[in-house]
Structures are given as structure tokens and as C-alpha cells.
Amino acid sequence: MSSVQQRKAEILAKRAKLAELKRQRELRQKEFSQSRANSGDASEVWQAPQRQKFGTNFDSIFSTKIVSPVPSRSDSRAELDDLISRLVDRPGSASVSHADGPSRRGSRPNSVLSASQLSGDNTEALNPTTRAFHQSIAVQTDVAEPFVASSAPPPPPEPKPEVVTYSKGVQTDESKKHQSDSESETEDLEDGTSSSKRHSKRGRERDEEIRRKLRKEIEEELQATQQQAVDGPGAESTNLRYPLRTLDDDELKAVTSSDDFLDFVERSTRVIERALDEEYDVLADYELGGIDGDLEDDVEHGKKRKSIREVCQFYDERWSKKRMISDLSFSPKFPELVLAAYTKNPSAPHEPDGLVQVWNQHLHSRPEYVFHSTSDILTAKFSPFHPNLIVGGSYSGQVLLWDTRSSRAGGGAPVQKTPLTGSGHTHPVYSISIIGTQNAHNILTASTDGVVCGWTVDMLSQPQEYLELATPPPSKTEDLAPTTMSFPQSDPTFFIVGTEEGGIYPCHRYDRAGAKAGTDQRLAYRGHAAPIMSTAFHPARGPVDLGDLMLSSSLDWSVKLWRVRPPATTAPATSAAIATNQVVSPILDLNREDVVYDARWSPHRPGVFSLVDGAGNLEVWDLCTDTEVPVVRTSPSRGRGGILTRSLNKVAWEEREGKRIATGGLDGVVTIFEVGKGLSGTPEDVPAEEWTAMKRLAGKLEQRDRAN
């Protein structure tokens, strides 16, 4: 590549030199044209006898309008003679032309004939095939020797042998450096040694080959485009490098049964179904300004502000059939996702016993994710710190961890689980709580063996905390079987447990002043006469702290409201008080018409909570409005296949806006309800008066309880 670049550099230098010489020549021509206008008569006088001497040949040679470099009339003849004498004495200065044709003659319009051409005896000088010697105008002004006239022209000098040298870097000889200034750029590139000619010839052949290939490819593309326009789009597949073909039965079965194909179809159809579920009112009248009869009734009379309606139901024919729902939970990050835990199907022994389905409210036909385990799932919930993780407790006592990112790769199996050893739970796990912060949190589980274990998400092989609970002394036995466990918002080291005997006991995770880790022996919340089914602390997300309020439901057909004492006040002040066990009674007792399986607070409304009973009813209460009857009461519609929705087991609130409620029961159908604006809303939508009213109500109920 270095020789090619050097050659290009020489060509550019020569181009610049030629451009400068052309400019000087134009200046000289302008000067000569002015002098010719003054000496035109003298030139005509001199040319007349010369025409008679040389005849017609002279006329044909000088028909090219030779510019005579004559400065004046007196010495024009002498300068011409000196020029001819110079040409005769210095023949080596003339350059040999290597190209004939109109392009060459057009590139050098001004030239002077040599002495051999002016000779009358040399008839070959006028032959067009004979190569002529030329001298540029640039050397015509350096004539100094006189011209000696003779009757016979001198013989032409013998040609000197030409020494040809070849240089790979330059590819030309030294004689090319003395070429005539009037030669064009094409002559300068073509002139040189035979080796340079061969090199340039090979280069031209190579360039021509490249042009021919490009021309051929362009023609083929044009023909293909024209053929496609004629045949239509259907003929495109016939010209493909890999033409389309029909798969046989074996190949088609192999493709459609592959995991990649099934995964692609599953994800694509989910996306399409979500998009089709988007609701939009195409009949909306924007001229009314959004005011119609229903809205006016809602604002003025409040009939629809505290209402409830059914939105959708979820049921899968394969997985939900003959399974009972054991727990429900909304995703804290994606409000449209609802988690449902199921027990085993007694009629399908080959299917997994435990099942967890994640439903999408925009995808009603099938679950978004399906997870399973080898034992019944009794409780499950989304992790508030890792939205893609699901933690569950099984009937075998194992704590399971599923990841939505690996649901398809692992087939729905848990990514982690606790071992079936004595280091963890040996009885069914009925309650799970995830306590802590984003960077430091633990999974707390409680089982009916009276053990509370603390786990970390990174390691489930061994519990980080192990706490045995025992019943306070008045009971006949020390065995304590907790069925529920709840933590307040303000203190992650204090919790309460509900037991099978109907008692509710405060517990401490660690030793503290006046109390040891485990069950607090000096305090008990008694009021239920049957096993406790649920306990829930108030969320307390408002201007007034209501975190000491707690709801409990039981199989004794009642829901009770408690005021939980802070852990610091539970320790007795005197030794006499140690012998007496403090018993706290509920401040509000709500007796229902059937077994109450679950009760949950609204995430943002201070006095609103919901409950479900064995009769299949969903009730929403607002204690700020009424403490005797619920605000709304409804039942789910008929399930899939005409199954009546009976005995609702679980209820859950959507945590972001508190607008939707999920219920589930014995038939395995998940039903989503939506409450009105008076029962839902974000924390900004709830007025401060509701919080103060709930605070006054709690104080009034507590005073009435003390009076009794």
C-alpha cells in the first residue's frame, strides 16, 4: 500500500505543477496576442516567401495558427531562425509523443515544428501516423544561437539508445521528469517505463473487473425486484436462501412440544389477553362534563359512596377444582396481582398437594403464575421488600420460598425450603409475618407446636431465631398451639398470638426489662370461647395513632375489638401483682349469624374493616358510622360450573388505594369486589375528622368497658 500512496502523491504534485504551467502559459499567450496585433504585417511578409519554398505542406502545417513569439517587426525573422537552429542542435529536449488521437491534439493547441519536419525532402513529417517532436512555448524564448541558412536541410540526428530503469516505488524513469510542460495529465500518467505500463494495465484490468461485478450485481437486483413486482408477494419465498417448507407430523410435534415454543405462546397470549381486558367507555358523553344522574346521587345523598360491587372471579378448571382456598394476599407493588393459596385435591392423588396461584385482574381465563409443593399450603403472602418473592407455610411444617422469575424454568417448584428436621417446625405453619426493613428483615413463622421461628431469605436451612411459647400458669396445660400471629406497626419485637383454646397472648421476641422472651405470663386477652381464626392490628397510617387497636375473629360467631397495652406497661410494678394474672377484655363485641373466619382492617380508612363468615357473606363495617350493623353486605355470585360460593374463608384488602377486596372459600373461587369512595381512598383522600372520630370512639368504648 506504501507504493500506491507514493504514486498518488507524485500524481498530485504533477497536477499542481501542470496547473501552474498552464497559468503561466495563459499569461504568455495574452502577451503574445497583444504583440501579434502590432506585428501582424511583418508576419505576413515573412510567411509569403516561406509558402513558396515549402509549398502546400507549409500551409497544412501552419494551419494551426502558430503563435509567433516575435517581440518586434525588425527581429521576428531572426528569432525564428534561432529557434530552428536550437531545435536542430538540441533534439534530446523534445519529448516523444506516445498517444495519438483527438484528445491529445486538443490538449496541446500551440506547438512549433522541428527542423526535420520543416525539411522539404522529409515527406514522412507530414504523415499523420508518424510521431512528431514538440517543444513547449516555455522554452521558445531561450533562443540565443544564430540560424545558418542552407539549401539542404541537415540530416536528423541519430537517436540515442534509451536506458530503461524500473523502480517499484516510483514506477517511472528519470526522463519522465523532463517531459514537456504542455502535456496533459493523461499523458503524464501514461508515460513511463514498460514496467509501469504493465502495472497500470493490471490496475486498469482489476478496476474493470470490479466494475463488471458491481454492474452484474445491480442488474441481478433490478431483475429480482421486477420479477417480484410481476409475480406478487407470494413468490418471494421461492427465491429465499432457505425456502419455506411444510413440516411433517414428527417435526411439527417436536416443535410444538418444545419448552421454548410453549413459553413463547404462553407469554404472548397473556399479553394479548391483558390488552383485550382494558375497559373503555366508548359511549362517554364529554358534553355533560362528567355529571350524570348516578354521580349526582353519589354526591348529594351518599347512596353510592358506601357501596360494593363484584368485579370479577378467578377459577381454573384444572388447578382450582375441588381445592379449598387457605389464604389470600395482594401484591404490594402490583395491585392487579392477587395471590391465592390452596389445599390439596382429594380426587387427584397424582397432582401436587399444595398449590399457589397468582391471578391478574386483567387476565381472567388463567393464572399468571402457578406454584406447587408436596404439602398443603396453609398460608402465603408476597414479600413487601422483594415483590418477586412469595413466602408460604405448609401443613408439613416447611417454610417455602418461590420466585416469579424462575416459575417457568423450575416448573413452579420452590427455589428454597426448610428441611424436614427438628431444627424447624414439626407441626403445620398457620401464620407468616415478614418484619423489618428493606436491608434487614426476617420471616417469622408460627406453628401449632408452640414454636415461633425467625428465618432469613438468604438461608432457610436453619432458623435464626427459635422461640418456644407456653401457656400462662392458670391454664391446665403448658402446651400452646398458636393459629394466628400479628405484629404492630410500631414495634417489631412485640407480637400477639391467637390460640386454639380461644385465648390471645402477648409475646416478646427478646428479653426485656420485666419480661423474658416468649409468652408474657402476666397478661392475657380473653373473650373468645372458640379457636381464634384471625388477628389484625390497626394499620395506623394517619394523623392519629390507632396502632393499639386490634381485631380478632373466632369460631364462636363473633368479632371483637381490643385495645392492646404497650409492652412497657405489661410488667407488674409490685411483687404482689405477680401472683395475679391480668385479663384484658374486648372494648367492642360484634356477634354475627355464623362462624367468622377472617376479619381485616382497611389500609387507609381508620374505622373500616371487612369480615367473611361461614354463610358466604362479605360484610364491610365502618365503626365511625355505626357499631351495630355493617355498612354493606353482599355475597359472591355463582362460581364456575354452577357451584354456589359458600363458607368464605379469607378476605384481603388491596393496599395501595384500599379500593378492592378479595374473598375466597371452600369452592376454590376467588372473587374480587370494589367498594365505593366512602369506604376506600388513599391517605390523602381520608379527612382528618375520621381519625379523630375513631380515636374518640375507642376512648368511649374503653370507658364503657371499665364501667361494666
Side-chain angles (χ1 to χ4, degrees), residues 5 24 109 208 237 283 285 290 294 320 395 413 456 473 498 516 645 705:
Q5 295 177 356
Q24 294 179 2
E208 186 64 27
S237 61
L283 300 178
D285 191 353
D294 295 339
S320 303
Y395 186 80
T456 60
K516 292 183 178 181
T645 304
D705 179 66

Side-chain angles (χ1 to χ4, degrees), residues 243-256:
L244 302 178
R245 66 183 182 88
T246 303
L247 301 178
D248 55 20
D249 295 340
D250 295 337
E251 293 176 341
L252 184 62
K253 185 177 180 180
V255 171
T256 54

